[in-house]
Amino acid sequence: MNAFIQTQALKKTYQLGDQRVEALRGIELTIAQSDFVVFMGHSGSGKTTLISTIGGLTRPTEGSVSIEGTDIWRLNDRELSAFRNRKIGFMFQSFSLLPSLNVLQNVVMPVIFRKNGKREKTDAIRERALSLLAGLEMKKKIDAHPSELSGGEQRRVAIARALINEPDIILADEPTGELDIRTEREVIEIFRAINSQYRKTIIVVSHSLSWLESAKTVIIMKDGLMHLDVPDPVEALMGRACRP
Amino acid sequence: MKILRLAVLDLVRRPKKNGLLVFAIVISVALLTSLTIVSNSATSSILEVVSKTGHTLTIRPVITAGIDEADKSALQNLTISEVVFGKYIPESAVPQISRIYNKAIREGWERKGGLVSNPGIPVISIEPPTWAPRLYTKAVVDGHEAIVTGIDVNKEYFVRFWWNLSSGEWPADVDVKNVNTRIDAMYVMGAGGQVTVEKPRYRVDEEGKAVYDEKRRNSAGDSDQVARDFAYAHGAGDENKDVAYLGGAYASARGLKVGDTVTVESRRFRIGGVLEETNSADDYMVFIPLIIAQHMFHREGYISLLSVRAMCPNCPVGDAMVELNRNITGITAVSQLDVAGVQFDFFNMLYRFLLAVVIATIAVGIFSIFNIVAGSLYVRVREIGLLKAVGASRFQLFRIFLYEHLIIGAFAGIGGFVAGVGMAYVLNSLLGIGSVVRIVPSVLWYALALGILSSLFAIYYPAYRLSGIKITDTFRTQWEV
């Protein structure tokens, strides 16, 4: 497999008072470009720590994360920020949007932190944002503020924002958490479309089994270890033994 | 959208918290601004007195317990600055006063190293002083009690060179065209023989000699001139004997203008002019010719006050004051320069005390601001985490906070200035400084700078810490281990 994202001996240990918690215990992972990976597992299994380490948000205790050949944890703060801004689009379960900004401003917000952001014309950025919002059926609400949007609408805006800088990777942590089944389905469809149409590499962390149908790769996380090629993820999540 | 706009939008979203922060800074800035304005105003007023009367000595009767019973009821000593009622100096004492004064000035100059009236060296000179007598009385003017002051307009105009008319005209015999009443000419030879020009008052002729008014030149150093001056005052200006001049505040309060008449006791005077206000007792007086006042109030041969203006810069007026007080009983000579100096020292001490109090208050205030800022920032940690996640570097986050607090500081600085000006008026009134509140433009810039610096000082540490926070820490409730 052509390694687009690769982790080597990735470990993360937290010190919680007197207790040491090994959130990641030597993760070896390779993700190809345009893959659609879903991490599933119980709370505390280490899945969020893994994608935040891949996304350059949490520094690992040991090991490395390489994206397109760049060891991201060797970059300094400014380089890593620029890398995240350029290469990765993030989506979080809650507090995804800044309440002081309207929909359009939230979508274009990552552009202001782009190193070459000044070179791109404001009109071009605005057009791209409007196009993304139109594709997500949110064009009519560009002036609305987050408090005026439903949960599903907020996720769509967050997706548009994640795409505004045309990143190669979308990292989403519980993107359908707290959503009803219908809206969850819509959001998953959007992710699938992004993966198939724009060829973006998508990495999702979720508890929801609804993602199983859409993902190309499903990885079960348990006790800081990764379980690939699980024949029956549902069984695995129900607590049956799975092969590391 | 740019980082600045992001900062502005964020500010607008939190009007109450940011308003509280602005208010806290406004108080600090206003305190310092008001103190600065009051201090500047008082200092300016004192310096103005020095510049006006720095070379002036006022001589008035000594106030003692042995006051004539008949005069006692009329006596209200020192109620208004130099104004004394009921005690007088006989005009016959003036020549002796003049002699002592001239001798002290001359000796003082020699001691300083200057040469005075040295024959054969025409550029070295000192002009004779000008003596302006006054007679203060309380009299009924148009049915109301007022301070009526007898003056010689010529002399008064010359000594009180800061007098200007807001309306009307000076008497025709006041030489306002040819005599520059401000000291602006003086040739001085120092002890080493070098000649320096200090504000030359007189024109220089083709030969480089000073040109004097002949009448005055002849009288230089002549003490008898004082007596002649009085004769002149008593006898001259017949055509002006029924002309009165009014202090600006008095005229304004009574709605009087040039051409109107006022009746002092039973005699009518035409108002020849109204003086511009000078922030002194003169503003509340009615001025009539000295000789008329002496006659009307039966004080022929007496005066209440003698002002002497030394006609040279840095004249040793203090020496003259000491000599007069030492040699003549019954009078008190006061150097306005010394009075101003005492006032200045006292005010300076008061200012330093208040400044210390204000600085302590600001220090406490800044810690309060620091707490407000820290509190308002720490509730934004998730927002900060989001901004970092989408690619904001530590420096870019810092810039957002910086812009926000520059704006807050600027608003607070301007608000503090406005509030400080208001407080300055209140302080000025409460402290009884009595000076006109002067607002120097530079105070606005200082207020602005203080507002911005306070705001930035308060934000720096919390912003530094928060911009460096780990992203996952900001999502602690959401991002699991």
Side-chain angles (χ1 to χ4, degrees), chain A residues 14 43-44 48-49 52 57-58 77 81 84-85 90 92-93 95-96 98-101 105 109 112-113 173, chain B residues 1-2 5-6 9-10 13 382-383 386-396 471-472 478-481:
Chain A
Y14 293 104
S43 295
T48 297
T49 302
S52 64
L57 304 179
T58 301
D77 176 69
S81 298
R84 272 201 304 266
N85 184 264
F90 286 93
F92 308 104
Q93 180 182 349
F95 204 79
S96 290
L98 287 183
S100 57
L101 308 182
Q105 288 165 341
M109 187 253 287
I112 66 175
F113 301 119
D173 183 43
Chain B
M1 193 165 68
K2 293 179 177 175
R5 181 137 187 245
L6 191 64
L9 288 169
D10 217 72
R13 190 165 67 90
R382 303 188 86 193
E383 180 183 322
L386 179 64
L387 292 172
K388 289 194 89 167
V390 299
S393 67
R394 186 172 191 168
F395 177 66
Q396 286 171 320
I471 298 173
T472 44
Q478 177 196 343
W479 291 74
E480 311 151 324
V481 174

Side-chain angles (χ1 to χ4, degrees), chain B residues 217-270:
Chain B
R217 189 183 186 187
N218 291 339
S219 65
D222 181 1
S223 301
D224 293 338
Q225 173 66 18
V226 177
R228 289 206 295 276
D229 283 347
F230 276 102
Y232 172 77
H234 283 244
D238 284 342
E239 69 275 21
N240 299 317
K241 65 185 180 188
D242 292 322
V243 175
Y245 289 83
L246 303 183
Y250 182 84
S252 173
R254 290 207 46 212
L256 295 168
K257 57 184 185 300
V258 173
D260 290 350
T261 58
V262 286
T263 304
V264 179
E265 299 296 339
S266 57
R267 182 168 180 149
R268 284 162 66 96
F269 292 87
R270 182 178 59 80

